[in-house]
C-alpha cells in the first residue's frame, strides 16, 4: 500500500486543494466522489471472484498512505450512494464509519434500476458479483420502438457488448438490501443508525459535528443527537439537507415537466427474457425490462416498467416539481388511458399496466450543477452532489 513519492502513480495531495479538508495529523484528506469508484482495494480483491482488479484512472486516489485508518467518518443517508461509499471505505481499511439514515427503518423500496458495467466493476471489486448474479438480470440488449410498436434499432448491452462485467437490471429495493447485508457483515449491525434526520453541522480546524433529530418523534432527541467526526459525507439524495445548508438559495429540484409512473409485475418473459425495451418519444415513453433472477429461474420475468408523460408545457417557466414519494401508491387512471393502444406483438402495455398491483409516481427532476461539492470537512456525494434524470447514463 505504501508508495514511493517517485512512483508515477503517487499523488502528493498535501495542501493541493482549497476544497480539501485538513486531516487530524496536519495532512490533507482528499475524499472525492471518484474515491468511491476506485476498483482497487486489497480487501475487495480478496473477496472478488476475479484474481486481478482492472486498472482504471482512479487508482491514484486509492493509494492514501497518509490517511489514518482510525479516522472517524460520518455518512448522512443510507441510500445506494451512502452504503456503497461505506463498503468502499471499509475495503480501504477504514473501520470507524457511521451511517445516519432519516427513515425509521431501512426497507426495500423502489422498483427497477440499472447498473452499468462501470458501476458493476466497483461492486465486483467489493466482492458483490455473486450476490448481484443471484438477484438481478444480466441485461443482453436494448431495443428501441416507436409508439406504434415498430422496431427502430437495438444495441447489445453489458457482456454482450464486450464489457468484462455485465450490466444488471435489478430491483432497487433488492440492491439496497444486498448492500446493507454486506455492510452489516463487514462493519457490524450497529454501523447504521435509522431514525436520525440530519439537520445542521458546525466545523472547526480539527473536527466536524453533525446534528440529528428523530423522524418518528421530532420532540424527542434521537439516540445520537450529535456526532463529532473527522469528515462528514452527505449522501442524502436529491433533496439533500446538507446541500440546502451549503446553497440556501437554490430551491427545489428542476422539474422537467414529465412524470414517471413505475410498477413491477411477474409474467411470461418477452423477447430474449433479458431485453430492455424503450418505446415512444420524449413526451410519451414506455420502458420495460426484467429485474429478478429468482423469477427467471422459475421461467418467469419480474418485469419493471416505467410510463412517462409530459404533464407540463415545455415553455412553462414554473420549474417547481410536484411532491415526490417513492413509497406512495397512486391510481393508474392518471396515465393508463394514454397507453391504451400500445399493444405490440411481443408485449401488451395496457395488459402489463392492468395486471400490476401497485404503481408509484415520480416527477423527473435534476439540479443545475454547483461549483463545488466539498467545504472543509463536509462533502456532498451522489444525488446530493449531482442528481441526473433517471435514464441510461444514470439508472432508470
Ligand atoms: C426510497 C427510494 C426509492 C428509489 N427507487 C428508485 C427506483 O426504483 N429506480 C430508480 O431509478 N431510482 C430510484 N431511487 C433513486 C436512486 O436510488 C438514486 O437516484 C441513486 O441511487 C443515487 O443514490 P443516492 O444515495 O445519492 O440517493 P438516494 O438513493 O435517494 O438515498 C438518499 C438517502 O438519504 C436519506 N436522507 C434524506 N435526507 C436525509 C437527512 N436529512 N438525514 C438523513 N438521511 C437522509 C434518504 O432517506 C435516502 O435513504 C430511489 C430513491 C429512494 C430514496
Amino acid at each position: 500500500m505504501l508508495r514511493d513519492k517517485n512512483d508515477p502513480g503517487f499523488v502528493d495531495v498535501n495542501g493541493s486543494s482549497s476544497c480539501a479538508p485538513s486531516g487530524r495529523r496536519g495532512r490533507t484528506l482528499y475524499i472525492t466522489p471518484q474515491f468511491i469508484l476506485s476498483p482497487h482495494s486489497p480487501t475487495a480483491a480478496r473477496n472478488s471472484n476475479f484474481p486481478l482488479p482492472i486498472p482504471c484512472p482512479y487508482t491514484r486516489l486509492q493509494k492514501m498512505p497518509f490517511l489514518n485508518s482510525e479516522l472517524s467518518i460520518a455518512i448522512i443517508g443510507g441510500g445506494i450512494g451512502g452504503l456503497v461509499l461505506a463498503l468502499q471505505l471499509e475495503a480501504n481499511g477504514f473501520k470507524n464509519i457511521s451511517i445516519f439514515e432519516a427513515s425509521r427503518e431501512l426497507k426495500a423500496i423502489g422498483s427497477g434500476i440499472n447498473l452499468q458495467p462501470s458501476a458493476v466493476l466497483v461492486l465486483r471489486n467489493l466482492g458483490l458479483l455473486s450476490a448481484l448474479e443471484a438477484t438481478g438480470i444480466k441485461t443482453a440488449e436494448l431495443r428501441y420502438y416507436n409508439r406504434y410498436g415498430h422496431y427502430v434499432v437495438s444495441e447489445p448491452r453489458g457482456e454482450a457488448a464486450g464489457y468484462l462485467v455485465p450490466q444488471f437490471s435489478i430491483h432497487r429495493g433488492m440492491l439496497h438490501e444486498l448492500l446493507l447485508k454486506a455492510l452489516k457483515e463487514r462493519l457490524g449491525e450497529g454501523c447504521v443508525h435509522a431514525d436520525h434526520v440530519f439537520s445542521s453541522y458546525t466545523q472547526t480546524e480539527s473536527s466536524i459535528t453533525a446534528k440529528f433529530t428523530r423522524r418518528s418523534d421530532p420532540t424527542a432527541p434521537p439516540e445520537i443527537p450529535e456526532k463529532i467526526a473527522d469528515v462528514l459525507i452527505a449522501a442524502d439524495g436529491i433533496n439533500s439537507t446538507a446541500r440546502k445548508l451549503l446553497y440556501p438559495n437554490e430551491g427545489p429540484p428542476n422539474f422537467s415537466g414529465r412524470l414517471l409512473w413505475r410498477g413491477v409485475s411477474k409474467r411470461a418473459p418477452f423477447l430474449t427474457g433479458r431485453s430492455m425495451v424503450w418505446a415512444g418519444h420524449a413526451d410519451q415513453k414506455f420502458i420495460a425490462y426484467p429485474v429478478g433472477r429468482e423469477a427467471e429461474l422459475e421461467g418467469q420475468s419480474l418485469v419493471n416498467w416505467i410510463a412517462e408523460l409530459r404533464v407540463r408545457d415545455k415553455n412553462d417557466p414554473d420549474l417547481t416539481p410536484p411532491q415526490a414519494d417513492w413509497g406512495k401508491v397512486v391510481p393508474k387512471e392518471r396515465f393508463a388511458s394514454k397507453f391504451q393502444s400500445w399493444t405490440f406483438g411481443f408485449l401488451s402495455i395496457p395488459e402489463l399496466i392492468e395486471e400490476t398491483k401497485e404503481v408509484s409516481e415520480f416527477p423527473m427532476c435534476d439540479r443545475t450543477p454547483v461549483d463545488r461539492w466539498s467545504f472543509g470537512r463536509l462533502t456532498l456525494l451522489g444525488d446530493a452532489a449531482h442528481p441526473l434524470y433517471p435514464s441510461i447514463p444514470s439508472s432508470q
Side-chain angles (χ1 to χ4, degrees):
M1 276 293 281
L2 282 173
R3 294 190 81 156
D4 189 297
K5 267 199 162 186
N6 299 321
D7 182 324
F10 184 85
V11 186
D12 185 0
V13 295
N14 291 333
S16 64
S17 162
S18 59
C19 300
S22 293
R24 228 178 215 161
R25 298 184 177 167
R27 299 226 170 127
T28 303
L29 168 62
Y30 195 15
I31 290 187
T32 72
Q34 288 92 334
F35 166 67
I36 70 157
L37 289 176
S38 164
H40 289 247
S41 98
T43 317
R46 262 204 316 277
N47 297 334
S48 164
N49 295 347
F50 290 73
L52 283 173
I54 298 167
C56 97
Y58 303 122
T59 313
R60 296 176 308 164
L61 291 170
Q62 186 267 327
K63 307 293 177 189
M64 295 187 290
F66 48 86
L67 283 184
N68 168 6
S69 62
E70 288 307 308
L71 207 76
S72 155
I73 300 169
I75 298 171
I76 305 162
I80 307 296
L83 297 188
V84 175
L85 169 67
L87 284 162
Q88 188 72 5
L89 286 165
E90 191 279 336
N92 281 272
F94 298 95
K95 301 289 173 209
N96 193 352
I97 303 166
S98 317
I99 300 177
F100 297 91
E101 166 56 44
S103 312
R104 279 179 242 183
E105 51 176 323
L106 279 86
K107 286 195 291 200
I109 301 180
S111 42
I113 202 163
N114 269 280
L115 298 172
Q116 303 299 333
S118 49
V120 174
L121 189 60
V122 173
L123 298 174
R124 182 210 72 167
N125 286 341
L126 286 168
L128 297 173
L129 187 64
S130 50
L132 290 173
E133 283 170 341
T135 312
I137 294 289
K138 292 182 181 179
T139 316
E141 60 167 1
L142 169 56
R143 294 171 77 90
Y144 293 93
Y145 294 81
N146 67 14
R147 65 187 152 135
Y148 306 108
H150 300 153
Y151 171 76
V152 178
V153 71
S154 72
E155 59 181 38
R157 304 295 300 178
E159 283 173 335
Y163 287 94
L164 291 173
V165 290
Q167 169 181 334
F168 281 105
S169 295
I170 193 165
H171 192 285
R172 191 249 181 211
M174 293 180 193
L175 170 65
H176 190 251
E177 256 177 5
L178 80 83
L179 294 172
L180 189 61
K181 181 169 173 280
L183 189 65
K184 287 185 171 175
E185 279 165 11
R186 295 172 197 189
L187 274 180
E189 284 286 325
C191 64
V192 184
H193 307 278
D195 206 4
H196 282 71
V197 182
F198 168 71
S199 57
S200 63
Y201 74 98
T202 51
Q203 63 175 318
T204 65
E205 275 285 294
S206 56
S207 70
I208 185 160
T209 304
K211 297 194 174 146
F212 301 96
T213 57
R214 191 189 277 267
R215 176 165 281 174
S216 55
D217 177 3
T219 58
E223 199 186 312
I224 305 173
E226 280 191 8
K227 171 76 183 173
I228 301 171
D230 293 305
V231 283
L232 181 64
I233 299 157
D236 51 347
I238 192 166
N239 293 307
S240 165
T241 300
R243 181 165 168 141
K244 237 173 261 162
L245 294 170
L246 297 170
Y247 294 96
N249 300 321
E250 192 183 29
N254 303 330
F255 181 40
S256 64
R258 283 170 272 166
L259 281 181
L260 307 174
W261 290 271
R262 293 165 181 268
V264 177
S265 177
K266 200 160 158 186
R267 57 174 5 250
F270 61 86
L271 297 172
T272 62
R274 295 183 166 208
S275 303
M276 183 177 200
V277 166
W278 281 46
H281 50 90
D283 290 344
Q284 182 171 5
K285 199 185 291 161
F286 198 90
I287 299 171
Y289 53 87
V291 290
R293 175 71 178 139
E294 219 172 89
E296 190 182 45
L297 289 172
E298 295 164 7
Q300 298 272 84
S301 271
L302 185 65
V303 177
N304 171 79
W305 58 262
I306 303 131
E308 182 181 320
L309 279 182
R310 174 169 292 285
V311 293
R312 202 177 287 170
D313 190 79
K314 270 193 201 85
N315 303 316
D316 192 330
D318 181 10
L319 288 177
T320 318
Q323 191 63 35
D325 184 349
W326 286 105
K328 194 171 154 201
V329 177
V330 299
K332 295 175 200 169
E333 289 74 46
R334 293 191 184 178
F335 65 96
S337 62
K338 301 271 186 195
F339 294 90
Q340 204 49 50
S341 62
W342 290 39
T343 302
F344 306 164
F346 59 90
L347 182 69
S348 164
I349 289 168
E351 249 178 58
L352 180 56
I353 295 173
E354 179 62 31
E355 74 194 21
T356 303
K357 289 197 187 81
E358 295 187 344
V359 175
S360 64
E361 179 182 273
F362 213 75
M364 185 131 126
C365 294
D366 68 0
R367 282 187 183 276
T368 309
V370 286
D371 290 342
R372 44 194 284 209
W373 298 331
S374 299
F375 292 78
R377 291 170 178 272
L378 171 64
T379 290
L380 304 176
L381 182 136
D383 279 358
H386 48 77
L388 302 169
Y389 289 156
S391 57
I392 278 298
S394 47
S395 50
Q396 191 71 277

